[in-house]
Amino acid sequence: MSTHYGRAQHLETPPGFVHDELTKAEVKEREAALVPLTDSVRRLIDALVRTQVAEQGMEDVRHRVDALTEELLADALPGPHGVRFGSDGGYRNYGNPVVGKGNAIAPPIAFQRDGEAVSAEFELGPAYEGPPGLVHGGASAMVLDQMLGEAASAGGKPGMTGTLTVVYRQGTPLGPLRGEARIESVEGVKSVVRGRLLTRPADGSEPVVCVEAEGIFILPRWARQDPAGVDREHVGEA
């Protein structure tokens, strides 16, 4: 279930939000090391899905991967990363499976805002395959859940996913895709958001709508005490 809150430090801090004192410079330094490592592991996942090396070769790689994993676990959190925020004014949700900078299963996707609408151009490769050559329906739903939540935040109505209705118009091909979403209506603490995934043809032909979704996003109770303190920035997953 997606959560799209705002500036939690102005409100009662909900579970999973952790305040730290990292400066912008420290965050930048951390991400300069984290993002390339995440990219490398993402390539490893893709390679694992597609590899045809002999069994002995896979066994050798497994031992090396296990050794590297132990290096990273030598200093690791005991549980989920959660959402971290601090004096730098930003939010760090590195574990998010769609946009997390520290999560190698995230495509990743960078959303662009245009007023109260959001869009993104991205690729889903072999690691997201369901039917042969097509994106797994659950992966499409996950991306749209995130995108609709981003649109709710862009429209000043951040919240948690209450319902998500997904309609699969046709198979979504692996490769370049485009996503679009915007708020359709607002009623109190609820906002209705609609979005879709489209093909992104390389030959310049017309894009085709593959998946459509409608979600109801609800402002959480802890944020209702000070709605003005909740800004439009997406901050995480619940």
Side-chain angles (χ1 to χ4, degrees), residues 111-120 146-155 178-183 193-196:
F111 294 102
Q112 305 298 318
R113 294 184 177 185
D114 181 9
E116 297 185 353
V118 300
S119 63
Q146 184 76 29
M147 177 163 284
L148 268 57
E150 295 282 352
S153 285
R178 176 178 173 82
E180 302 170 346
R182 67 169 53 248
I183 290 180
V193 190
R194 291 182 180 171
R196 58 185 187 171

Side-chain angles (χ1 to χ4, degrees), residues 118-184:
V118 300
S119 63
E121 294 188 348
F122 55 95
E123 293 192 20
L124 294 179
Y128 302 94
E129 186 176 36
L134 301 177
V135 176
H136 191 289
S140 298
M142 179 177 69
V143 169
L144 280 166
D145 182 30
Q146 184 76 29
M147 177 163 284
L148 268 57
E150 295 282 352
S153 285
K157 299 295 180 180
M160 297 183 67
T161 310
T163 65
L164 180 69
T165 303
V166 182
V167 178
Y168 298 92
R169 296 297 182 188
Q170 68 164 47
T172 304
L174 295 173
L177 297 168
R178 176 178 173 82
E180 302 170 346
R182 67 169 53 248
I183 290 180
E184 288 291 316

